[in-house]
Amino acid sequence: MAKVSSIVSGFLSNALAATVQLSVNAQESSTKDCTPGEKVITMKEVSWHDEADDCWIIIYDRVYDISDFLDEHPGGSDLLLEYAGREASGAFRGSGHSAQAIRALDRFCIGELPMHERIFRKPGGYKLSDIPE
């Protein structure tokens, strides 16, 4: 009986380790495109962050805290504040940002929208060739 218990225990241990590794791999693949500590943030939560001292925006289904960037933005803070707490992908894309500006978004990324609220990064979503992965 001890031998069977040992075998079952070893099997469960290996299964648990494999499950944990799959979970870690899934988390790594879903967060590799944003800053570490990425989390799921709803549009409703983003909408509460619409002031100059607490400014979040959504660009390509990712949430960015740009509070500290407002004064640095070449186009001025007023432009960004128009989209505070809202979806800003169209405005971002329409203004013709450079590849460097797109890469610079990474430092402000704090999370991403849940799958059911996404427009771009979901199966069947809008596909744009030049959005960050």
Side-chain angles (χ1 to χ4, degrees), residues 50-88:
D50 61 351
E51 303 288 331
D53 62 336
D54 184 22
C55 183
W56 293 7
I57 60 171
I58 302 165
I59 299 175
Y60 303 132
D61 301 329
R62 293 210 175 106
V63 179
Y64 300 91
D65 181 348
I66 57 167
S67 306
D68 295 334
F69 178 68
L70 292 176
D71 293 332
E72 299 173 31
H73 187 256
S77 62
D78 289 342
L79 183 62
L80 294 177
L81 287 170
E82 286 183 39
Y83 295 94
R86 301 182 339 173
E87 165 55 51

Side-chain angles (χ1 to χ4, degrees), residues 29-115:
S29 68
S30 70
T31 62
K32 70 177 183 174
D33 299 324
C34 204
T35 57
E38 180 177 53
K39 65 179 188 173
V40 175
I41 302 170
T42 65
M43 287 180 147
K44 183 175 182 175
E45 184 177 350
V46 172
S47 72
W48 287 98
H49 302 271
D50 61 351
E51 303 288 331
D53 62 336
D54 184 22
C55 183
W56 293 7
I57 60 171
I58 302 165
I59 299 175
Y60 303 132
D61 301 329
R62 293 210 175 106
V63 179
Y64 300 91
D65 181 348
I66 57 167
S67 306
D68 295 334
F69 178 68
L70 292 176
D71 293 332
E72 299 173 31
H73 187 256
S77 62
D78 289 342
L79 183 62
L80 294 177
L81 287 170
E82 286 183 39
Y83 295 94
R86 301 182 339 173
E87 165 55 51
S89 300
F92 183 84
R93 185 172 182 80
S95 65
H97 283 93
S98 66
Q100 181 182 357
I102 293 170
R103 285 190 305 273
L105 285 173
D106 286 344
R107 72 180 187 168
F108 303 104
C109 187
I110 58 170
E112 63 185 351
L113 295 175
M115 192 62 71

